[in-house]
Amino acid sequence: MKHQPIIDRSITELDSNAETSQLENRKIVPERFESPRLPADGVDNELINRTRTQIRNLVSEIGDLAKSGCESREFWEGFLVRTTGALASDGGAVWLDESGSGQMELQYHVNLDQTCLAENSAAQRRHSLLLNKIREAGEPTLVPANSGVPGDDSPGNPTDKLLIVGPLILNNRTTGLVEIFQRPGAGPTTQRGYLRFLTQMCEIASDFLKSRRIQNFGEQQALWNQLDSFVREIHQGLDPEQTAYVIANEGRRIIGCDRVSVVLVKGGRCQIRAVSGLDSIERRAEQVKQLQTLTAAVVRANEPLWYNGDDTDLPPQIEKRLHEYVDKSHAKMLAIIPLTSRPIAPKVDSESQRERIIGALIVEQLKDSTIEAALRKRVDVVVGHSQMAMSNAIEHSSLFLMPVWKTLGKLTQPFAGSRLPTTLLIVGILAGIAAFFALFPYPFALSANGQLQPRIQNEVFAQVSGILQEIHVSPDESVPVRKDAILARMENNDLMVQIQNLEGQISQTNEQVSKFRRAQSERLDRIDNIMLDGELLKSEEALKSLKRELDLKREMADNLMVRSPADGFVVNWQVRQNLLKRPVDRGQNLMTVVDPKGGWQLELEIPERRIGHLRQRMNDSDQPLLVRFALVSHPGSEFTGELLRIDDKLEVYSDEGNCAKAIVSFRNDQLPEDLLKSGTRINAQLQCGTRSIGFVWFHELFETVQTTCRYWF
């Protein structure tokens, strides 16, 4: 027969109207349990005190376990065993989302395999939906046995147990749940007591999660600092001996093992170059020779070796050498990872495509044989950086001015023996081509893109926000508009309401002023007259302020009528379709009014890399710079103009990057009137005199090379 749970006994014998007690020895004060009810025949004080002591001891044990710095599995085991024991429940489980992915995983359980959730997939699905629902709510919950719709994919309790579920809160977010499987049949008061007790236990567990999170952050920060120092050290020099020494000593701190050794392959032989903690190596020692022999066998197999006492799958040639070395070194755990010149590409079928092996990294543990996942990850990090640093050091040290000698050898080959006449002929041809490119003059022109724009154009902006209700612009673009002519009418209901409110306030304030003035004519004492004068002055000032505000609002209402700033033509496309019945904001560009009679000009976009040549041409000659251009819509004809000015400000107008605007004037009678359209695209050539043909053809290449390589040396 199962014992009556501690919480069940306490709730049965405690009365809600009696004096409450507070749990001690905790940082977080739990809920108060009710004091014992006085039975008719007397009080069993001994039972009540024993129950309270058991509860305090249980809470204290779990609190001490949370503060002990133990591992997660050890804590959850102690936590769940004590909690289920206190409640005399049939089992329990702890669900936790440590990764933050949204999916909770089982951390520890008691008798979960004895429920219907062990083998029933449908029950597992309903149970999972129930837990997710409780997690979203974030509140402690009691779920009756066999609740929900059986056979349906809706949340429910498919077990024959009462589920007591408490949330684990971390940073104001439900990160897990504690679930207790309790026998059904207890009364509502007892069940609420179960829930209060589990909630208090979950608070302690939440404190443990918080401390673990802080501890993990500290460990990660320390690891990153160590890794940063390790990377700096191993890449600081290009000497193989120095690099091996740094890998052995700094790598040992990163991995957290007892010993790290570095082996390099030279001439087909493996040789230990560095051992952590040792300044020199006695190469004639038997243990050193055995380790070199073992490493050579692993390198030939080209597979990492991880040994923690189990040699079941090891090949015989490695197994024998491994046992010989372990007997001498007394290592409990041994890992030998080959180092390649570069990481081997995955799924390489041909052995010729594999990078050559340059050495191996040896990791040893002398006291512990456990190979944890964290240890493997740290070893992989050290191996990745080590093989790159060692590969660079070996390659650098093995070449003595090799690039220089190779270049000199290739340059002298064409001048040897029978190749000399041919070489001289080629050199002569190249010299002639170079002279042609350097001396032959050629027109130098800079290309630029731009648009055809009228010289006089006026932008029409919205002075206030509102809705465009009417457009008074003719659909025919040939119909001119006059200055101050109404182009559109806007409405702003909020503005009109404000005007009406101001008019009402002015009317009320006028009445107050009249009232105070009438009161002045009455016979009042001195104090009343002073107060009346003050109120009258305040009302008159308020009236002036309201009138000024009303004048401003009426001025804004007048601006709802959009007027033309000058004589001209509206050139916007489909003004009615784009603006009518649509809201516009203050400052929004509504229309453009141009005056064709004012003449036309070109707006060119000069890329930044060409401005220097253009400035030089303008400084060298007093003559206007000639511009030849063609319309994209009329490519068969070429026209000429003169450069007037260049904007000193650079902005990004197109894909060319930073550009400066340039204005070009031309005789408008060169173009037919039907081609004079605002925004017509232009391709232009700015004539900058004559330069050598080589400069004209390759100046952009030369400038790119100069810009890129100028500060390399």
Side-chain angles (χ1 to χ4, degrees):
M1 178 180 296
K2 294 187 177 180
H3 296 289
Q4 185 182 17
I6 299 173
I7 306 304
D8 198 347
R9 297 201 307 268
S10 64
I11 293 173
T12 304
E13 299 171 359
L14 299 178
D15 184 13
S16 61
N17 296 325
E19 183 180 359
T20 61
S21 63
Q22 181 172 334
L23 295 179
E24 302 171 351
N25 301 324
R26 278 198 58 214
K27 216 172 178 185
I28 299 176
V29 179
E31 277 189 45
R32 300 175 182 266
F33 286 97
E34 299 171 346
S35 297
R37 178 180 299 171
L38 299 177
D41 54 351
V43 180
D44 191 354
N45 292 325
E46 181 180 359
L47 177 61
I48 294 176
N49 293 332
R50 187 168 63 252
T51 301
R52 289 176 176 173
T53 302
Q54 290 177 345
I55 294 175
R56 292 192 187 100
N57 293 338
L58 178 65
V59 174
S60 178
E61 289 177 5
I62 298 179
D64 293 340
L65 185 63
K67 299 175 183 178
S68 64
C70 61
E71 294 295 329
S72 295
R73 181 172 180 82
E74 182 181 353
F75 171 79
W76 293 124
E77 180 181 0
F79 171 85
L80 197 57
V81 169
R82 288 173 173 82
T83 304
T84 54
L87 295 172
S89 59
D90 293 337
V94 176
W95 306 88
L96 199 60
D97 179 16
E98 290 184 325
S99 62
S101 61
Q103 297 294 329
M104 294 187 298
E105 297 180 356
L106 182 64
Q107 299 297 310
Y108 190 82
H109 73 92
V110 175
N111 297 331
L112 181 63
D113 51 354
Q114 297 181 8
T115 65
C116 65
L117 301 175
E119 299 178 355
N120 191 334
S121 60
Q124 294 175 5
R125 185 165 54 254
R126 293 180 57 208
H127 179 258
S128 177
L129 293 174
L130 174 64
L131 294 182
N132 290 333
K133 183 177 180 181
I134 296 175
R135 181 188 179 185
E136 293 176 359
E139 297 291 338
T141 307
L142 290 169
V143 184
N146 298 315
S147 62
V149 181
D152 191 10
D153 287 337
S154 59
N157 178 11
T159 68
D160 57 354
K161 309 293 182 183
L162 170 67
L163 296 185
I164 311 171
V165 186
L168 298 175
I169 307 299
L170 181 61
N171 296 332
N172 298 325
R173 186 176 67 89
T174 304
T175 189
L177 299 173
V178 177
E179 183 182 26
I180 302 298
F181 301 96
Q182 185 69 326
R183 300 185 309 276
T189 304
T190 302
Q191 293 182 6
R192 289 193 296 270
Y194 292 159
L195 193 61
R196 288 198 300 272
F197 175 78
L198 182 60
T199 301
Q200 295 164 9
M201 297 302 100
C202 289
E203 292 175 358
I204 301 177
S206 298
D207 292 342
F208 170 77
L209 290 176
K210 183 177 180 180
S211 63
R212 288 290 298 176
R213 175 69 62 87
I214 296 174
Q215 181 180 355
N216 291 337
F217 284 163
E219 294 174 353
Q220 291 179 2
Q221 182 62 37
L223 180 60
W224 277 114
N225 293 336
Q226 293 178 356
L227 182 59
D228 180 71
S229 175
F230 172 73
V231 172
R232 291 174 184 271
E233 290 290 335
I234 65 173
H235 290 285
Q236 187 173 5
L238 289 173
D239 178 54
E241 296 291 338
Q242 179 186 357
T243 304
Y245 181 84
V246 174
I247 291 174
N249 290 276
E250 298 298 323
R252 175 178 172 273
R253 294 196 306 108
I254 298 294
I255 298 173
C257 60
D258 295 328
R259 185 164 57 211
V260 172
S261 305
V262 177
V263 174
L264 296 183
V265 177
K266 186 175 183 181
R269 299 180 59 185
C270 292
Q271 189 177 34
I272 297 179
R273 293 297 184 91
V275 178
S276 59
L278 297 180
D279 294 332
S280 62
I281 302 172
E282 180 56 49
R283 304 191 183 279
R284 292 176 295 179
E286 187 64 22
Q287 184 176 340
V288 174
K289 293 180 180 179
Q290 290 176 349
L291 182 57
Q292 291 179 162
T293 304
L294 173 61
T295 305
V298 174
V299 167
R300 283 193 295 270
N302 199 13
E303 291 292 338
L305 170 65
W306 290 87
Y307 172 78
N308 61 347
D310 184 12
D311 57 355
T312 305
D313 299 327
L314 292 179
Q317 60 271 27
I318 295 180
E319 181 180 358
K320 179 181 178 181
R321 295 176 173 85
L322 176 63
H323 287 300
E324 291 176 352
Y325 174 73
V326 170
D327 291 340
K328 289 283 186 180
S329 64
H330 306 290
K332 300 293 185 181
M333 189 280 293
L334 175 66
I336 302 177
I337 298 92
L339 301 178
T340 60
S341 58
R342 287 180 179 81
I344 299 175
K347 298 182 180 179
V348 177
D349 297 330
S350 175
E351 289 294 331
S352 61
Q353 296 178 352
R354 299 171 68 90
E355 299 293 342
R356 65 185 182 91
I357 296 178
I358 60 176
L361 186 75
I362 304 172
V363 180
E364 296 178 78
Q365 288 275 28
L366 304 179
K367 297 180 181 179
D368 187 12
S369 62
T370 305
I371 302 178
E372 299 179 350
L375 177 66
R376 287 180 177 267
K377 291 181 180 179
R378 291 194 293 268
V379 170
D380 292 339
V381 171
V382 172
V383 168
H385 289 285
S386 299
Q387 63 186 3
M388 185 178 298
M390 186 59 68
S391 176
N392 293 336
I394 292 175
E395 183 178 1
H396 179 268
S397 62
S398 62
L399 299 177
F400 178 72
L401 298 179
M402 189 58 67
V404 177
W405 301 125
K406 286 184 177 180
T407 303
L408 292 177
K410 291 179 180 179
L411 291 176
T412 57
Q413 286 179 1
F415 296 93
S418 60
R419 297 181 181 179
L420 181 58
T422 304
T423 302
L424 293 177
L425 177 61
I426 295 175
V427 170
I429 294 174
L430 293 177
I433 294 175
F436 171 76
F437 281 132
L439 301 177
F440 188 80
Y442 195 79
F444 180 41
L446 299 175
S447 60
N449 299 323
Q451 293 181 350
L452 186 64
Q453 296 289 351
R455 294 177 183 172
I456 301 176
Q457 56 182 354
N458 300 276
E459 304 292 339
V460 181
F461 299 96
Q463 301 296 322
V464 293
S465 301
I467 299 177
L468 267 171
Q469 295 291 350
E470 297 179 3
I471 301 292
H472 298 287
V473 177
S474 175
D476 187 2
E477 294 184 359
S478 61
V479 177
V481 296
R482 299 298 181 187
K483 183 178 180 180
D484 296 330
I486 297 176
L487 302 179
R489 183 180 65 84
M490 300 169 56
E491 286 187 359
N492 189 326
N493 294 331
D494 294 338
L495 181 60
M496 303 310 295
V497 169
Q498 293 175 7
I499 292 176
Q500 292 178 0
N501 291 337
L502 289 172
E503 291 176 347
Q505 294 176 17
I506 290 174
S507 177
Q508 293 177 1
T509 307
N510 278 326
E511 293 179 359
Q512 291 179 357
V513 171
S514 300
K515 177 181 177 181
F516 291 142
R517 288 176 177 172
R518 288 194 301 270
Q520 285 181 334
S521 60
E522 299 177 0
R523 294 183 178 179
L524 301 174
D525 55 19
R526 182 173 176 274
I527 296 177
D528 290 341
N529 282 330
I530 293 175
M531 294 179 60
L532 187 61
D533 292 341
E535 293 295 332
L536 177 60
L537 182 60
K538 183 191 296 185
S539 299
E540 289 177 346
E541 291 298 327
L543 181 61
K544 293 178 182 179
S545 177
L546 290 173
K547 287 182 178 180
R548 287 195 297 269
E549 187 175 357
L550 179 61
D551 293 339
L552 292 176
K553 296 297 182 181
R554 285 175 175 172
E555 184 179 352
M556 292 175 64
D558 293 338
N559 290 331
L560 291 173
M561 306 300 293
V562 181
R563 302 178 183 275
S564 174
D567 297 339
F569 297 87
V570 177
V571 297
N572 298 80
W573 172 254
Q574 295 184 343
V575 178
R576 296 178 182 276
Q577 290 83 341
N578 295 333
L579 297 177
L580 191 60
K581 302 296 182 181
R582 294 189 180 182
V584 296
D585 296 327
R586 181 182 179 184
Q588 181 175 340
N589 190 341
L590 302 178
M591 307 175 195
T592 302
V593 179
V594 302
D595 184 7
K597 297 181 180 179
W600 296 79
Q601 63 185 12
L602 303 182
E603 283 190 5
L604 302 181
E605 298 173 4
I606 311 297
E608 182 180 7
R609 63 181 182 275
R610 296 171 184 166
I611 294 178
H613 300 293
L614 200 58
R615 295 286 188 188
Q616 181 179 357
R617 166 63 179 81
M618 297 173 67
N619 294 333
D620 294 343
S621 177
D622 296 334
Q623 298 296 327
L625 193 146
L626 182 65
V627 179
R628 301 183 185 276
F629 66 94
L631 280 66
V632 175
S633 60
H634 196 68
S637 301
E638 186 180 83
F639 311 97
T640 59
E642 294 180 355
L643 181 66
L644 291 182
R645 63 182 181 276
I646 301 177
D647 191 2
D648 293 331
K649 183 180 179 182
L650 297 177
E651 293 186 8
V652 178
Y653 298 103
S654 61
D655 296 338
E656 293 286 346
N658 287 348
C659 297
K661 286 285 189 179
I663 303 300
V664 177
S665 65
F666 65 96
R667 288 190 302 106
N668 295 168
D669 56 3
Q670 295 182 77
L671 276 69
E673 292 186 2
D674 57 340
L675 297 180
L676 295 174
K677 301 291 185 181
S678 178
T680 300
R681 288 191 297 151
I682 299 295
N683 294 328
Q685 294 284 335
L686 293 87
Q687 306 300 317
C688 296
T690 58
R691 304 289 291 271
S692 65
I693 189 172
F695 179 84
V696 174
W697 286 5
F698 303 111
H699 71 278
E700 292 190 354
L701 176 61
F702 297 154
E703 293 165 359
T704 301
V705 173
Q706 288 177 342
T707 304
T708 306
C709 307
R710 184 172 185 176
Y711 298 104
W712 281 10
F713 305 101

